[in-house]
Amino acid sequence: MTIKPLFNVSVNYPTEENELEYDIRASKAVAKVLMEILSPGGVAELIETYNTKILNVKGENYMNQEQMDRIHTGKGFIAALDQSGGSTPTALLQYGILKDSYSNDEEMFNLVHEMRTRIITSPAFNSEHILGAILFENTMDRKIGEQFTADFLWEKKNVVPFLKIDKGLAGLENGVQLMKPIPNLKDLLKRALEKNIFGTKMRSVIKEANSEGIKKIVEQQFDIGKQIAEAGLVPIIEPEVDIHIGDKEKSEELLKSEILNQLSVLDKDVKVMLKLSIPTKDNFYKDLFDNPHVVRVVALSGGYTQSEANEKLAHNQGLIASFSRALSQGLIAQQTDKEFNLMLSDSILAIYEASIK
C-alpha cells in the first residue's frame, strides 16, 4: 500500500552563499505545515516565541533586506522626528503651541504626537523624497490610525523607521558631552524589534578639539552600537560637533580619525550608519562612504537654518540630510492643511535637492 505524503515540501540544503534564501524557504515550508496542524491559538503562541527568542538570536540575518537596500542606495534623506522630553517644549513652541496649552507630560506628548502625525500623514511626506524617519520612543509606542507608527511609516509610506534610544547628555568633561547611561537597553531594543524598527540613533556632542574626549565619545558610541547590531538593528552613530566652536575643523579631523579606528576593528558583518555635523571642509567625510561597515553617512542640521544647512550640504557630494529643526521650520499648528502641506512640501523638496547633488 502506497501512502500519499500529506505535504509536498521541497527544501534544498543551504550553502554559505545561499543561507539567507534557504532560511526564508525553509521558514515558509515549516509555516505551511504548522498552519495545517496547529490551532489559531497555537500559531499565535509560536509567533510570540519567535519574536521574543529566535529574532534576538539571529539578529541581523533577519533584517529587512528591502529596507537595508533602500537606506544604503536610495535617493532622498532621513527625517528626524525624534524630539524627546527635554526638547519637546521647544519643538511645540516653534510649532506655535505655547507652554500654557498643556499642564503635564501626557498632554504635552499628545500634542507633539498630533504634530508628528500631521507631518507623517501629509501628502508631501512621501518615499519619493524621504528614505527614513527617526522616532522618539513615545512615538514608537503610539499609533497613527490603527497602526503603530513604525508600521504606518513602512506599510503606508514606504519610509524606513528608526528609533532614538539615548537618554540625553552627561555633563561637559574633556571638551565633550558623553551620553547618559541607557537603562534597560536590551529591553528597549527588544521592543524596537517587536515594533518593526529598522535602526536606532544616539547622540553625543563635541565642544572642543580635545583628543582624549573625542576618543571617549567615539568609543562609547561604538561600544553601544555593537550591542545594537547584535540585537539585529542598525545603529546610527551620532557624535555631533558643535557648529559654533572655534576649533570645529580640528575637532572633525580628530573625530574622523577615531571613527576610522573603530571601523577597522568591527566584526566583518557589523553594519552602522554615521550621523555627523556638516564638515567645515567640503567632502571631508567622503572616504567614509565606501567603508564596508558603513550603510550611509547622513548630516544633522546642527542649528543652521534650513537654507544654510541646505547650501552647506549641497557642497558635500554623497552626504544626505537627517534634519530635525530645519525640516519643521515654518510649520505651525494654526496653518490650514493646504498651507501646512505646501510649506512642508517646499522644505522637503529643498532638503531633497541638497541631498542628491
Side-chain angles (χ1 to χ4, degrees):
M1 176 179 176
T2 302
I3 300 176
K4 184 179 179 181
L6 182 60
F7 303 105
N8 180 20
V9 178
S10 176
V11 180
N12 295 327
Y13 287 102
T15 66
E16 187 174 339
E17 291 76 17
N18 73 353
E19 183 177 2
L20 179 59
E21 292 181 5
Y22 169 83
D23 283 348
I24 294 172
R25 290 199 308 272
S27 297
K28 289 181 177 179
V30 171
K32 179 179 178 181
V33 173
L34 294 175
M35 290 293 287
E36 293 287 340
I37 64 176
L38 290 179
S39 66
V43 172
E45 184 178 350
L46 188 65
I47 292 171
E48 177 64 21
T49 300
Y50 172 83
N51 284 337
T52 57
K53 293 183 179 179
I54 305 301
L55 199 60
N56 284 334
V57 173
K58 287 293 185 180
E60 68 270 13
N61 291 337
Y62 284 85
M63 190 175 294
N64 188 314
Q65 190 60 46
E66 184 181 357
Q67 292 180 341
M68 174 66 84
D69 293 342
R70 180 159 173 73
I71 294 298
H72 184 48
T73 61
K75 290 177 65 176
F77 68 94
I78 294 176
L81 307 175
D82 59 332
Q83 296 93 344
S84 58
S87 58
T88 296
T90 301
L92 286 173
L93 189 60
Q94 292 171 343
Y95 185 54
I97 297 178
L98 303 178
K99 288 186 178 181
D100 59 9
S101 300
Y102 50 90
S103 57
N104 54 52
D105 284 352
E106 182 63 22
E107 292 179 1
M108 177 183 73
F109 287 127
N110 286 340
L111 288 169
V112 82
H113 188 64
E114 289 175 9
M115 178 186 74
R116 289 167 178 152
T117 298
R118 193 180 188 190
I119 291 172
I120 291 170
T121 57
S122 169
F125 193 94
N126 61 67
S127 60
E128 182 179 354
H129 305 110
I130 298 171
L131 300 174
I134 305 171
L135 307 175
F136 174 50
E137 183 180 350
N138 186 277
T139 307
M140 176 187 75
D141 291 330
R142 290 174 180 257
K143 291 184 176 182
I144 296 179
E146 297 300 317
Q147 292 180 289
F148 284 107
T149 306
D151 291 332
F152 184 92
L153 279 168
W154 180 241
E155 295 176 15
K156 301 295 186 184
K157 293 284 186 168
N158 201 34
V159 171
V160 179
F162 292 82
L163 174 68
K164 166 189 162 65
I165 64 164
D166 69 81
K167 302 302 179 183
L169 300 172
L172 184 67
E173 185 175 353
N174 293 320
V176 303
Q177 289 182 274
L178 298 172
M179 292 180 287
K180 291 179 179 178
I182 306 174
N184 304 314
L185 175 61
K186 186 176 180 180
D187 290 340
L188 177 58
L189 298 179
K190 175 185 171 183
R191 286 177 47 229
L193 284 169
E194 292 170 349
K195 290 290 197 301
N196 297 318
I197 295 291
F198 172 79
T200 66
K201 192 216 79 165
M202 49 190 176
R203 171 179 173 263
S204 43
V205 179
I206 296 167
K207 294 286 189 177
E208 67 177 55
N210 183 306
S211 58
E212 181 181 354
I214 291 174
K215 180 180 177 66
K216 286 183 177 180
I217 215 171
V218 176
E219 284 178 345
Q220 184 193 42
Q221 285 274 347
F222 274 84
D223 284 346
I224 298 175
K226 284 182 278 191
Q227 297 176 54
I228 294 164
E230 287 173 4
L233 298 159
V234 176
I236 298 178
I237 305 292
E238 186 187 5
E240 174 183 348
V241 177
D242 190 320
I243 64 170
H244 302 293
I245 60 175
D247 50 5
K248 178 173 178 284
E249 185 171 358
K250 178 62 176 176
S251 296
E252 289 162 352
E253 292 171 1
L254 293 170
L255 174 62
K256 186 168 79 167
S257 176
E258 291 298 334
I259 289 173
L260 288 169
N261 287 341
Q262 289 292 326
L263 290 172
S264 71
V265 296
L266 285 179
D267 291 345
K268 65 182 182 68
D269 294 328
V270 174
K271 302 293 184 183
V272 303
M273 295 174 62
L274 300 170
K275 181 168 178 174
L276 307 171
S277 302
I278 302 172
T280 306
K281 185 185 299 182
D282 292 346
N283 297 311
F284 179 67
Y285 292 124
K286 194 170 184 179
D287 52 338
L288 296 173
F289 299 170
D290 295 327
N291 187 285
H293 294 290
V294 177
V295 178
R296 203 74 185 253
V297 183
V298 304
L300 55 106
S301 51
Y304 292 123
T305 65
Q306 185 188 116
S307 60
E308 290 172 331
N310 286 341
E311 181 183 0
K312 292 177 182 295
L313 181 65
H315 288 96
N316 288 269
Q317 186 177 14
L319 188 64
I320 68 170
S322 178
F323 293 171
S324 175
R325 282 169 290 182
L327 172 63
S328 59
Q329 182 178 305
L331 300 177
I332 57 173
Q334 294 76 19
Q335 288 168 327
T336 65
D337 285 345
K338 182 177 181 180
E339 293 169 335
F340 181 91
N341 292 334
L342 181 60
M343 176 65 71
L344 181 60
S345 177
D346 288 346
S347 294
I348 287 173
L349 287 173
I351 297 169
Y352 173 81
E353 290 297 330
S355 295
I356 65 171
K357 286 187 178 179

